[in-house]
Amino acid sequence: MSSTLRSEPCAADAEAAAYVARAALVFSEAEIGIARELVEEALAKGAEVSGYYFVFADGPNGVEGFTCFGPIAGTVNRFELYWIAVDPAAQRGGLGEKLLRASEDVARALGCVRLIAESSMRSDYAPARTFYVAQGFQQMADVPDYYDDGDGLAIFVKPL
């Protein structure tokens, strides 16, 4: 079955984003809480004021994946991809790529010329780093011990 994409969050999406993030099995409870909070802030203030834009993938059993992205303060037309997460039950069917493409289209329409994504350097994040490269991102920097001792930060950039 094919997922339907939408960009307007609803109240149930805060918990749905937390569920999808938790199901990915790589995010900490603090990070899962942030996913929920970003949806809540976008609902309370709107995307333009909060700076948090979303694309949700709705499947037969609810939200199967989501992205969150927005302009980076102090830059000119640079956006960050804050989140891209797909429920493991919906992976391997191209949903991550579909979500990313839709997010890029929205970001481009908002004036974005460069999309920045970050990833942990932990081994369990290897699929995310591989995904970014496969989608046309270039790894531009590594920051050792960024998140914690032995857990560095990889920074990826994609021109739009």
Side-chain angles (χ1 to χ4, degrees):
M1 260 191 192
S2 179
S3 297
T4 302
L5 300 184
R6 63 182 165 83
S7 58
E8 291 298 321
C10 65
D13 290 333
E15 189 52 42
Y19 173 83
V20 171
R22 186 173 285 112
L25 301 177
V26 295
F27 301 112
S28 69
E29 282 303 313
E31 291 169 317
I32 293 165
I34 290 168
R36 179 184 295 112
E37 290 169 13
L38 296 180
V39 175
E40 291 169 348
E41 187 163 344
L43 286 168
K45 297 179 180 177
E48 191 172 316
V49 173
S50 70
Y52 300 126
Y53 294 83
F54 287 88
V55 175
F56 292 93
D58 293 323
N61 297 317
V63 173
E64 295 181 323
F66 73 99
T67 62
C68 178
F69 54 96
I72 302 170
T75 69
V76 178
N77 299 325
R78 273 62 176 166
F79 279 44
E80 183 166 349
L81 178 64
Y82 299 115
W83 281 89
I84 182 165
V86 174
D87 187 324
Q91 289 178 359
R92 305 286 181 240
L95 183 55
E97 183 175 350
K98 186 176 175 181
L99 281 163
L100 180 61
R101 293 288 169 261
S103 301
E104 290 172 351
D105 289 346
V106 172
R108 195 177 294 109
L110 293 167
C112 178
V113 297
R114 295 237 186 286
L115 186 61
I116 287 78
E118 298 178 351
S119 175
S120 167
M121 291 297 294
R122 289 187 342 226
S123 62
D124 54 343
Y125 277 79
R129 295 189 304 273
T130 300
F131 172 80
Y132 289 138
V133 171
Q135 300 308 313
F137 285 83
Q138 182 178 0
Q139 188 169 345
M140 301 299 287
D142 288 338
V143 182
D145 301 321
Y146 181 83
Y147 295 104
D148 197 356
D149 293 344
D151 185 6
L153 165 70
I155 301 172
F156 298 85
V157 179
K158 181 177 184 179
L160 296 185

